[in-house]
Amino acid sequence: MYPLKRNRRLRANKAIRSLVRETIISPNDFLVPLFIVEGKGVKEEIASMPNYYRYSLDLLEAEVKELWKLGLKSVLLFVKVPDNLKDNKGTEALNPDGLMQRAIKTVKNVCPDMLVMTDVALDPYSSFGHDGIIENGKIINDDTVDVLAEMSLSHAQAGANFVAPSDMMDGRILAIRETLEDEGFVDTGIMSYSAKYASAFYGPFRDALDSAPVDAQEIPKDKKTYQMDYANRFEAIRETEMDIDEGADIVMVKPGLCYLDIVREIKNEVDVPVAVYQVSGEYAMLKAAAEKGWLDHDAVMLEQVTAIKRAGADVIASYFAKDVVKLIS
């Protein structure tokens, strides 16, 4: 007795597999992280992130043009702040002529239609490498939120389409939303890092921005008092729902691959777009394994981003974005 239904009929060749494929990757899925530094003519490879670079503003222009030609229409900006401009309160973050503010204007000048999102957190500006102001060895929530709201306003004034608070302070989405509304920036969106876990996968990113927490007495050596415990699942839903109630337009899960169960949980619960950040450690691991010849770089890269989208991601922030788009085109 032979089966009437043979599932392998739909796998018989490339044409039929493509025809019935459930998850399709396109340039529209990606948000491209960009690292910006002061200077001129600077394109520095990040040692722990092979083939990924920090750009000075003049070379940022060429990179943005290339992204647009590839069909990549959204960028997420991060800045590497000189040490002499760092302090405990992130004062430089509010400088209207700061590196972030100039980077926003640079992108918009060279490509007005590019969607610009900006990182909102104090760690690049903090002399302690933390996402908040420190007093008596503790991260102070409410004073930090005040600065984050002003920082978001400064980015909106410079031309950002979305601000992306990545700090995990309580109540910051509402404070940012109210500040933007009060100042007339009603169309500026918020992509909240709603379920950001205290992960060991962030190391190369902190190298890229020189933003790792300092090893000093009485100051936390990690971010576990504000980023989420990676053992927790339902907490992610609570955090995400609170951010939506406070005004978040897009919510994010970070990191990616180890948290796909969280992505699906949140996607099933909310009615706003869900973003996933495929973080620096995930990027670096594949690069290292491919360099050793242990993995097929392109095959694994495509499998990873497909898995992230299949899990429920509407937006994928990924350092692989250019590589993926070049491959699928």
Side-chain angles (χ1 to χ4, degrees):
M1 183 68 180
Y2 296 101
L4 295 177
K5 292 185 178 180
R6 293 181 182 267
N7 293 330
R8 289 182 58 192
R9 292 176 189 137
L10 298 181
R11 305 173 196 150
N13 55 56
K14 185 176 181 180
I16 188 61
R17 291 194 298 271
S18 298
L19 186 65
V20 300
R21 182 163 292 140
E22 299 173 24
T23 305
I24 307 296
I25 298 295
S26 85
N28 294 326
D29 294 316
F30 291 101
L31 174 61
V32 184
L34 293 173
F35 298 122
I36 317 302
V37 294
E38 293 282 11
K40 191 170 184 179
V42 179
K43 183 180 178 180
E44 300 174 333
E45 186 175 30
I46 301 161
S48 54
M49 297 178 66
N51 300 319
Y52 219 81
Y53 301 89
R54 307 179 190 94
Y55 296 94
S56 55
L57 294 179
D58 56 328
L59 297 190
L60 175 63
E61 295 181 3
E63 181 67 10
V64 168
K65 289 178 181 178
E66 182 182 356
L67 293 175
W68 189 261
K69 287 180 181 178
L70 289 170
L72 292 162
K73 306 181 185 74
S74 305
V75 295
L76 177 59
L77 303 182
F78 299 90
V79 294
K80 185 177 185 293
V81 179
D83 287 344
N84 66 304
L85 296 178
K86 296 180 180 183
D87 60 29
N88 185 30
K89 294 187 177 180
T91 305
E92 178 63 15
L94 306 184
N95 180 0
D97 296 316
L99 183 56
M100 176 64 84
Q101 289 78 0
R102 284 180 282 131
I104 296 166
K105 293 174 183 177
T106 297
V107 176
K108 283 298 185 181
N109 285 339
V110 72
C111 190
D113 292 329
M114 181 69 79
L115 185 77
V116 176
M117 297 192 182
T118 58
D119 180 52
V120 174
L122 293 191
D123 54 329
Y125 303 90
S126 168
S127 49
F128 298 116
H130 274 286
D131 296 53
I133 297 169
I134 293 178
E135 290 183 10
N136 300 318
K138 294 183 179 180
I139 311 299
I140 305 302
N141 192 92
D142 295 359
D143 289 350
T144 298
V145 167
D146 291 341
V147 177
L148 296 174
E150 291 302 313
M151 185 177 176
S152 298
L153 176 60
S154 178
H155 294 182
Q157 290 169 334
N161 301 103
F162 272 73
V163 294
S166 60
D167 55 286
M168 290 299 287
M169 297 297 122
D170 291 331
R172 89 274 204 213
I173 302 303
L174 180 60
I176 291 169
R177 186 73 267 162
E178 289 181 341
T179 298
L180 293 173
E181 296 285 327
D182 289 346
E183 296 297 327
F185 290 94
V186 298
D187 294 326
T188 303
I190 300 175
M191 181 180 71
S192 173
Y193 289 56
S194 297
K196 182 178 181 179
Y197 286 85
S199 171
F201 283 93
Y202 302 148
F205 174 91
R206 292 170 182 169
D207 290 343
L209 295 185
D210 188 24
S211 61
V214 300
D215 187 4
Q217 191 175 8
E218 296 184 357
I219 298 173
K221 297 178 180 61
D222 55 46
K223 301 188 177 186
K224 293 180 180 179
T225 66
Y226 47 100
Q227 294 179 358
M228 288 177 51
D229 184 343
Y230 61 71
N232 291 356
R233 170 184 168 196
F234 297 111
E235 182 183 10
I237 298 173
R238 293 198 302 272
E239 288 277 2
T240 302
E241 288 177 339
M242 287 175 66
D243 283 357
I244 294 170
D245 289 343
E246 291 180 13
D249 302 286
I250 301 172
V251 294
M252 179 187 280
V253 176
K254 183 180 180 183
L257 292 175
C258 288
Y259 299 84
L260 296 186
D261 59 323
I262 306 300
V263 177
R264 175 45 59 185
E265 289 273 8
I266 289 175
K267 184 65 176 177
N268 288 344
E269 292 290 331
V270 307
D271 57 3
V272 302
V274 176
V276 172
Y277 203 136
Q278 187 181 25
V279 298
S280 60
E282 297 170 74
Y283 176 89
M285 286 194 302
L286 177 51
K287 290 293 183 183
E291 184 180 331
K292 289 285 189 180
W294 295 339
L295 291 175
D296 181 327
H297 178 277
D298 291 350
V300 174
M301 175 181 68
L302 281 178
E303 186 174 345
Q304 288 182 347
V305 296
T306 301
I308 290 171
K309 185 173 181 181
R310 189 187 66 231
D314 301 289
V315 178
I316 304 172
S318 176
Y319 305 105
F320 289 118
K322 281 177 66 176
D323 290 341
V324 170
V325 170
K326 288 177 180 178
L327 192 61
I328 65 177
S329 65

